[in-house]
Amino acid sequence: MSLSAFLRSESATNAETQKFDLIVIGGGITGAGITLDATLRGLKVLLIEKDDFAFGTSSRSTKLIHGGLRYLKNLEFGLVKELGMERAVVHRIAPHLTIPEKMLTPIVKNGTYGKLLSAIGIGLYDLLAKVKKVERRQMLDIEQTTKAEPLLRKEILLGSALYYEYRTDDARLTIEIIKTAVSKGAVCLNYTQVNSFEYTNNVVSGVKAFDSIEKKFRIFTSSMVVNAAGPWVDDLRKLNEEIKGKYLHLTKGVHIVVPKEKLPVKQAVYFDVFDGRMIFIIPRHQITYIGTTDTDYKGNIDKPSIKYEDAQYLVKAVNYMLPDVNLKIKDIISGWAGLRPLIHQDNKNTSEISRKDEIFISDSQLISIAGGKLTGYRKMSEKVVDFVIKKLGLIHVKSNTDKVKLSGGNFENYTDVELFKEKICNFFNQNFENASEVASRLVHLYGQNTDEIIALFLNEVMNFDPEEALIRSELLYCLKYEGIQTISDFFIRRTGMVYFEPNKVEKYKHVISDCLHLHLNKSEETINKEKLDLEYAIELNIGFKKML
Ligand code: FAD
């Protein structure tokens, strides 16, 4: 099996001739996790994604693998325990994608928690999540806190708690799970939208889907179908039959990105805002990002955007807690808006709705899964696959996804990742002044697969300057191993450049579109449309700046 963009047509046509045990709809983290788990347990699995892999919420989160400390406020001990333990598992199977990040939570006068409650809360979190000793929380006094983060508003400080969370790249985590599943035999198709279900004796037995690359319908058959379409779960449930019982409640969360020099925090900060919500400030290479908002969403699910008032809310929050920063809307260089596929609960406001996942089974046996978190994807997947195996009447095989390293992540531990980064840095020393930064970016995106990119780079650098040679090598790698089809796939989800290095998008978008044109034999018209799509995606993120 292959995820090569060059073999996509062959894989899709071949898949039409087979009967799968399971079809999974949705190539976000949930669908990816289910596909890997089911494949490892011996099922024949087809994953179908309507856009690019991780197009939905799984490229628009806060990008943390975390235990969800704030859910202790809602007394969700079970959820915190499960997420906390999963945090360690994801770190073990993909250490290059789970970077330990110091997190400072200031304790302030009239804040949600006092010093004692914070100490108890975070202590409880350490205990529930079985946090390893070196990463457990430390309580800091006022002096220690201002030393740790001199930008904090001093007159309201009572102290702080310092602990660790893991920073990730949600879209990369999703694609590495998909690549791992493909290497074990799964078939994964992007740009294929399920439009209707096929039935045998009133039971779902396949799907009819539109392949938007080849512009044709395809029919795929299987014994069972799982709907893991995130915010679109209810759309597919409605395609299947009338929704009975629980339904989704979508809330929008926005992040904004500013250059590091505008918000030079020394570590991540997680703080209370005026309305009782909590907000993250997270440094990442040359930028700092801030999020998130949490508001009800009823708009177009394909196109959530950042509104002026979303950005204003986050800027105001930063300026309140870090007054010397004096952040302005005009400092924002990019951002993203995502939708939480939560399960509606009466009389609860957006922040109070549980992040727990739930499975729904329709009369015609469509299995739908919704809710949950990026961090808990493995447990969600395990639950679904246990259910599928039971329904198929197969002998129960235990999930072993906790033991299978993800593509690019075959490191013993995080120290190994650091050593690998040094090796890559040594290689690039002769080509780049900022070799250490280049190495860090690559290793935290591609892990050990950086070696493949270097092999391509050796060729490209004979014809182009190092920076261009590297971006071309990344593109070739993504074509060969990550099934990219469009310019946006590359700039948004594989490299995150739209969010974190927008200047590079501007500089190289023509190079990348020319390469795609050449390698995928695309028409001028298609390439022009893709360029407009990229512009539009960027417009959704920073179009609000036009109001300045
Ligand atoms: P999605 O990622 O949306 O995937 C569903 C996929 O289904 C999409 O790619 C879509 O294109 C596809 N699809 C839809 N319809 C069809 C169709 N008809 N045919 C084929 N494919 C279809 N969790 C954490 O653990 N840590 C965090 O830091 C964190 N922060 C968050 C911040 C925000 C603002 C938000 C919104 C969420 C955050 N979460 C976080 C939660 C987490 O991101 C989500 O729970 C998770 O990404 C949902 O993944 P999913 O696969 O269920 O949905």
Side-chain angles (χ1 to χ4, degrees):
M1 303 300 154
S2 165
L3 204 58
S4 164
F6 307 115
L7 299 175
R8 181 185 176 281
S9 176
E10 203 179 312
S11 292
T13 306
N14 196 13
E16 280 184 285
T17 64
Q18 304 178 40
K19 182 174 177 192
F20 290 88
D21 294 316
L22 179 66
I23 290 177
V24 179
I25 307 170
I29 194 95
T30 311
I34 294 167
T35 302
L36 176 59
D37 192 326
T39 307
L40 288 171
R41 291 204 240 177
L43 301 193
K44 198 169 156 186
V45 189
L46 170 66
L47 170 78
I48 304 178
E49 163 58 49
K50 78 179 170 76
D51 202 281
D52 182 27
F53 302 118
F55 165 77
T57 308
S58 301
S59 55
R60 306 160 195 244
S61 74
T62 307
K63 306 180 194 299
L64 289 175
I65 295 299
H66 66 146
L69 176 64
R70 85 174 176 81
Y71 308 133
L72 282 180
K73 195 169 162 185
N74 302 347
L75 307 179
E76 296 196 78
F77 301 115
L79 182 67
V80 174
K81 184 172 177 188
E82 181 167 298
L83 290 176
M85 310 251 290
E86 278 307 292
R87 175 184 167 273
V89 176
V90 185
H91 185 54
R92 193 169 68 234
I93 60 176
H96 66 299
L97 276 172
T98 41
I99 305 145
E101 186 75 57
K102 263 194 211 164
M103 185 81 69
L104 188 82
T105 296
I107 301 160
V108 296
K109 289 175 193 158
N110 303 322
T112 314
Y113 308 106
K115 249 179 157 173
L116 184 65
L117 262 182
S118 298
I120 294 172
I122 299 178
L124 182 64
Y125 174 77
D126 282 348
L127 211 71
L128 288 172
K130 295 206 173 124
V131 176
K132 52 185 173 193
K133 238 181 185 163
V134 287
E135 293 182 4
R136 286 196 190 148
R137 64 101 173 81
Q138 273 173 272
M139 298 307 292
L140 307 186
D141 62 22
I142 297 177
E143 200 183 325
Q144 290 165 319
T145 303
T146 46
K147 201 164 160 208
E149 190 45 78
L151 291 169
L152 289 172
R153 180 181 282 276
K154 295 180 187 55
E155 67 271 21
I156 56 168
L157 269 188
L158 295 173
S160 64
L162 189 67
Y163 60 108
Y164 280 85
E165 291 293 16
Y166 297 135
R167 180 164 59 74
T168 191
D169 186 307
D170 43 11
R172 295 274 345 149
L173 182 61
T174 306
I175 193 72
E176 298 299 12
I177 298 169
I178 289 175
K179 280 156 74 184
T180 311
V182 168
S183 76
K184 305 286 177 192
V187 180
C188 298
L189 294 176
N190 52 3
Y191 291 99
T192 307
Q193 172 159 6
V194 172
N195 291 116
S196 61
F197 293 94
E198 301 285 303
Y199 299 87
T200 307
N201 300 328
N202 296 325
V203 170
V204 173
S205 59
V207 298
K208 184 173 179 188
F210 185 70
D211 178 335
S212 58
I213 301 294
E214 296 203 31
K215 311 254 178 303
K216 64 179 186 192
F217 282 97
R218 297 181 183 276
I219 291 179
F220 303 104
T221 51
S222 63
S223 303
M224 300 211 75
V225 178
V226 168
N227 163 17
W232 296 263
V233 154
D234 279 356
D235 289 354
L236 279 142
R237 289 170 78 199
K238 281 180 208 154
L239 270 186
N240 170 236
E241 55 192 49
E242 199 187 322
I243 294 184
K244 294 180 196 137
K246 295 188 179 174
Y247 55 92
L248 290 196
H249 182 143
L250 303 185
T251 76
K252 184 177 82 169
V254 155
H255 292 83
I256 53 171
V257 178
V258 298
K260 190 179 182 172
E261 59 272 18
K262 293 281 174 198
L263 185 46
V265 283
K266 288 169 81 175
Q267 67 271 292
V269 183
Y270 185 38
F271 64 100
D272 269 274
V273 189
F274 19 83
D275 59 4
R277 296 199 60 258
M278 291 195 79
I279 280 184
F280 290 102
I281 297 178
I282 301 177
R284 175 177 166 138
H285 302 300
Q286 294 312 309
I287 60 94
T288 304
Y289 64 91
I290 306 142
T292 166
T293 58
D294 197 354
T295 49
D296 281 329
Y297 188 76
K298 304 257 188 273
N300 184 335
I301 304 180
D302 283 278
K303 296 173 181 147
S305 65
I306 304 184
K307 303 284 181 223
Y308 189 82
E309 52 274 22
D310 299 323
Q312 214 175 21
Y313 172 90
L314 294 173
V315 165
K316 193 171 153 202
V318 169
N319 287 337
Y320 177 74
M321 189 51 87
L322 300 91
D324 293 342
V325 169
N326 196 17
L327 200 64
K328 306 226 164 39
I329 296 270
K330 70 173 166 55
D331 297 327
I332 299 169
I333 54 169
S334 69
W336 60 93
L339 301 176
R340 298 178 185 84
L342 307 177
I343 295 154
H344 180 78
Q345 291 178 288
D346 283 335
N347 307 322
K348 294 235 169 166
N349 71 34
T350 50
S351 312
E352 285 168 354
I353 298 179
S354 173
R355 269 53 180 167
K356 264 203 220 126
D357 55 279
E358 237 174 279
I359 296 177
F360 313 111
I361 322 283
S362 76
D363 290 344
S364 56
Q365 302 300 302
L366 173 69
I367 303 164
S368 299
I369 171 126
K373 300 278 293 173
L374 197 73
T375 310
Y377 81 90
R378 224 186 45 81
K379 279 285 169 195
M380 284 169 83
S381 310
E382 181 178 345
K383 229 187 288 177
V384 172
V385 179
D386 279 351
F387 185 80
V388 168
I389 286 181
K390 200 166 161 197
K391 277 273 171 191
L392 288 173
L394 301 172
I395 295 167
H396 182 78
V397 184
K398 250 180 103 189
S399 168
N400 67 342
T401 48
D402 58 335
K403 296 182 188 70
V404 176
K405 298 269 188 186
L406 298 184
S407 163
N410 197 12
F411 297 98
E412 272 301 308
N413 48 40
Y414 195 71
T415 313
D416 247 20
V417 178
E418 297 285 7
L419 290 174
F420 186 67
K421 268 202 285 194
E422 266 175 45
K423 187 189 112 182
I424 302 295
C425 174
N426 289 338
F427 170 82
F428 280 124
N429 263 333
Q430 63 196 42
N431 302 106
F432 294 96
E433 272 176 25
N434 61 342
S436 148
E437 230 175 79
V438 171
S440 177
R441 188 185 75 81
L442 288 173
V443 173
H444 289 311
L445 288 180
Y446 307 98
Q448 284 157 329
N449 296 323
T450 303
D451 281 339
E452 299 273 351
I453 292 171
I454 287 183
L456 295 162
F457 175 81
L458 290 173
N459 237 342
E460 297 296 313
V461 80
M462 291 201 267
N463 300 312
F464 304 100
D465 74 65
E467 194 179 83
E468 182 169 339
L470 185 56
I471 202 165
R472 283 174 175 271
S473 310
E474 288 180 66
L475 177 78
L476 289 174
Y477 175 81
C478 294
L479 277 167
K480 218 166 151 194
Y481 299 104
E482 300 193 342
I484 64 158
Q485 292 292 331
T486 74
I487 311 168
S488 297
D489 300 349
F490 181 73
F491 282 125
I492 301 179
R493 290 163 290 271
R494 296 305 179 281
T495 63
M497 283 179 189
V498 157
Y499 304 142
F500 306 121
E501 297 175 285
N503 52 337
K504 272 203 188 157
V505 179
E506 220 23 64
K507 190 167 169 192
Y508 290 112
K509 65 183 176 198
H510 299 298
V511 169
I512 294 301
S513 65
D514 287 351
C515 279
L516 281 174
H517 193 162
L518 181 77
H519 289 290
L520 294 180
N521 206 8
K522 293 191 179 231
S523 69
E524 198 69 43
E525 193 192 345
T526 308
I527 286 288
N528 285 338
K529 181 181 172 299
E530 284 181 14
K531 280 186 190 160
L532 286 178
D533 287 347
L534 176 66
E535 298 301 327
Y536 184 64
I538 295 173
E539 173 80 17
L540 287 176
N541 296 339
I542 52 167
F544 67 85
K545 285 179 80 176
K546 284 186 186 146
M547 288 185 67
L548 285 179

